[in-house]
Amino acid sequence: MIRYLASLCAATLLTGCVTTPAPSGPQTAFWSALASHCGKAYAGRLVSNEAPDAAMRGMDLAMHVRRCEDHRIEVPFHVRQADGSWDRSRTWIFTRAGNGSGSDSGLRLKHDHRHQDGSSDVLTMYGGDTATPGTARAQDFPVDDESIALFRREDRAVSVTNVWRVEVDPAGTPNARFAYQLGRAAPNARHFRVEFDLTRPIAPPPAPWGW
């Protein structure tokens, strides 16, 4: 009888430990992977090879997963200049739809561009929303209508077919990388890509301009 009661109690305890798995999907996994780097900064490099990016080639780059909230992650992107100073004008802003419960309702990427005095650049807060579920490691952000209107207004119509891609591995993954890529189809073809080594954190840089 004692053994029976002990077995019954153990079974009851085990049953009590069973929980319903949280909703999951590729966008939730991607978000979790990015959030796993909160507070950390990493060094990177330009890996594409196009003429418009010559000034960035060979320069020190840094990304900093600076602020994380349930629906928003801010990632400043810092570029060292030829004179040794740093361009701290760029921040990638990721936001998610849904109620924060693991819903794969879509992700958004926006680019916050500031001048050194903190004022907004004329080309700022452009970007796009995911159109497909993507994967746990990579998400594509086709340009949105608001950004298309901005590009046309500022005589940057070449950018109206932009697609941004972001790739990220969770913290602790062997050879983990973060990549930011801009792609554009012909006739205004464009390929820009930077990659960051997520296995070697660096000292966090100062706040980006205006933040």
Side-chain angles (χ1 to χ4, degrees):
M1 175 64 71
I2 293 174
R3 280 198 295 268
Y4 171 76
L5 290 174
S7 298
L8 180 61
C9 288
T12 301
L13 288 172
L14 286 173
T15 302
C17 292
V18 174
T19 58
T20 303
S24 63
Q27 291 178 348
T28 299
F30 175 90
W31 188 268
S32 296
L34 184 57
S36 72
H37 298 281
C38 280
K40 295 181 180 179
Y42 304 96
R45 64 189 181 93
L46 176 72
V47 298
S48 52
N49 187 29
E50 292 197 344
D53 309 314
M56 195 179 293
R57 192 164 299 114
M59 294 297 163
D60 294 331
L61 309 178
M63 60 162 286
H64 181 198
V65 187
R66 184 169 181 264
R67 183 177 299 170
C68 298
E69 301 172 357
D70 287 345
H71 301 285
R72 179 182 174 104
I73 298 178
E74 298 166 7
V75 184
F77 171 42
H78 305 263
V79 180
R80 194 179 186 94
Q81 306 297 288
D83 63 2
S85 65
W86 284 84
D87 180 342
R88 307 190 191 281
S89 64
R90 306 171 178 91
T91 299
W92 299 318
I93 300 176
F94 298 86
T95 54
R96 67 187 306 188
N99 57 13
S101 62
S103 164
D104 272 24
S105 300
L107 303 176
R108 172 172 293 171
L109 169 64
K110 289 288 186 175
H111 301 72
D112 185 302
H113 283 195
R114 309 281 184 97
H115 297 290
Q116 195 162 2
D117 65 1
S119 61
S120 294
D121 190 86
V122 67
L123 283 171
T124 190
M125 297 310 293
Y126 59 84
D129 300 338
T130 54
T132 66
T135 71
R137 187 175 185 273
Q139 293 288 325
D140 291 328
F141 302 87
V143 63
D144 59 26
D145 291 341
E146 179 184 44
S147 303
I148 290 173
L150 172 66
F151 290 143
R152 286 179 171 154
R153 185 172 68 247
E154 298 301 325
D155 197 26
R156 300 294 181 90
V158 294
S159 299
V160 299
T161 60
N162 282 2
V163 177
W164 295 274
R165 163 169 284 216
V166 176
E167 303 167 11
V168 62
D169 294 311
T173 303
N175 302 314
R177 293 288 184 272
F178 175 97
Y180 167 91
Q181 178 177 298
L182 163 64
R184 186 189 304 148
N188 299 304
R190 185 79 166 89
H191 177 69
F192 170 84
R193 183 179 175 92
V194 289
E195 295 181 357
F196 299 83
D197 182 354
L198 301 183
T199 67
R200 297 175 179 272
I202 62 173
W209 296 338
W211 292 78

